[in-house]
Amino acid sequence: MKFGVVLLPGSNCDHDALHVAKDVLGADAEPLWHKDTDLKGADCVIVPGGFAYGDYLRAGALAKFAPIMEPIRRHADAGGLVLGICNGFQVLTEVGLLPGALMRNQHLRFLGRDVHIRVEETDTPFTSLYERGQVFRVPIAHGEGNYYADDETLDALERNRQVIFSYSDEEGRLTSDANPNGSARNIAGICNRARNVVGLMPHPERCSESLLGGASGLLMFKSIAASLARV
Amino acid sequence: MKATVTVELKASVLDPQGKAIQHSLSSLGFGGVEDVRAGKLFRIVLADSGQTREEIETQVRQMCERLLANTVIEKFSYTLEE
């Protein structure tokens, strides 16, 4: 079982993800350079946070032409696991692996703080060890995290239970006050139809050790490991 | 040939940046600013490769669809001049 963490020019959370996979979880993990054309045997590819290609044009827009994206697309099409965190989520929507788009935060400010998210679905390889409805505290750090899709797409996401995480208050209520960035229907993270690709704006890799104030994010890495161990 | 491409958010998509600019214009004393939508402008210079105008248009449209605009949230328009 191996994690591959994509290193795009401007990625800056790659080491955090590698650290959690390797040192905290104890799994095999390797960086994947953006010019690489194979995934070095990675079972789960993580597209980490950061500012790939300086966020030029649109966040994530230029990353879709990185050579590493082609094998990632093939991996995803074949049912392999792909996780996009923050900028990685933006990249996955631009690449077309996930529906919708991430727009400028509603109040135009970059947000770097903790929020609460509610786990909506646990039948994905990324969330199997969470409880449905579980609320946990997790850091966000983004200027463009305002999830948008047209109503038809949003309805389809809900119908197919593709909304995986929602911004909520501490008690799990999806209020507008709990929505930090104006995301449609409080959406914080989604998966694709086949449930093997997940993207979320919050940073689970930044809350995977109690030393750093919380370890709820580690359950995502543990879920991935557990589902890969079953294959 | 020069192409000028404009990319802006679709009318159905809220534009908080435009709203903020509108408020700023109003507070600067410009009355009657009913709405502002912010967008992007690209000036593209194309080498003369003997293509017809239709071929160039097709190419510019593909540039917009594949890179310059995210058609989930944005729309584009363009003009061509010699």
Side-chain angles (χ1 to χ4, degrees), chain A residues 57-58 61-62 64-65 94 100-106 108 148-149, chain B residues 9 12-14 16-17 20 40 42 66-70 72-74:
Chain A
L57 188 61
R58 296 178 303 274
L62 301 186
K64 67 179 151 190
F65 305 107
E94 282 282 345
L102 292 140
M103 306 193 3
R104 194 71 101 75
N105 292 345
Q106 195 173 26
L108 301 175
Y148 174 88
Chain B
L9 289 170
S12 55
V13 178
L14 281 177
Q17 199 174 198
K40 294 173 193 154
F42 304 89
R66 293 188 55 201
L67 180 62
L68 301 180
N70 178 343
V72 173
I73 47 174
E74 294 169 326

Side-chain angles (χ1 to χ4, degrees), chain A residues 6-38:
Chain A
V6 181
L7 240 168
L8 297 160
S11 295
N12 64 15
C13 301
D14 43 306
H15 281 283
D16 308 55
L18 283 167
H19 166 69
V20 173
K22 252 189 188 159
D23 307 326
V24 185
L25 189 66
D28 195 7
E30 209 177 331
L32 304 173
W33 186 237
H34 64 104
K35 287 183 178 165
D36 285 350
T37 49
D38 75 284

Side-chain angles (χ1 to χ4, degrees), chain A residues 144-218:
Chain A
E144 294 172 35
N146 178 356
Y147 184 77
Y148 174 88
D150 57 31
D151 284 332
E152 203 180 318
T153 308
L154 292 171
D155 290 343
L157 284 174
E158 288 183 343
R159 204 167 46 243
N160 302 323
R161 299 184 304 101
Q162 285 173 255
V163 178
I164 304 302
F165 297 107
S166 304
Y167 297 110
S168 74
D169 65 13
E170 229 174 320
E171 277 76 46
R173 289 180 297 246
L174 307 190
T175 61
S176 57
D177 281 349
N179 185 344
N181 51 28
S183 286
R185 302 185 192 182
N186 279 43
I187 289 174
I190 57 167
C191 70
N192 63 345
R193 267 313 282 278
R195 308 185 94 69
N196 62 315
V197 179
V198 159
L200 76 165
M201 287 313 295
H203 284 276
E205 82 285 13
R206 291 191 193 173
C207 59
S208 289
E209 286 166 281
S210 43
L211 183 68
L212 300 180
S216 307
L218 185 61

Side-chain angles (χ1 to χ4, degrees), chain A residues 89-104:
Chain A
F89 184 14
Q90 296 162 339
V91 170
L92 294 181
T93 60
E94 282 282 345
V95 172
L97 285 174
L98 290 171
L102 292 140
M103 306 193 3
R104 194 71 101 75

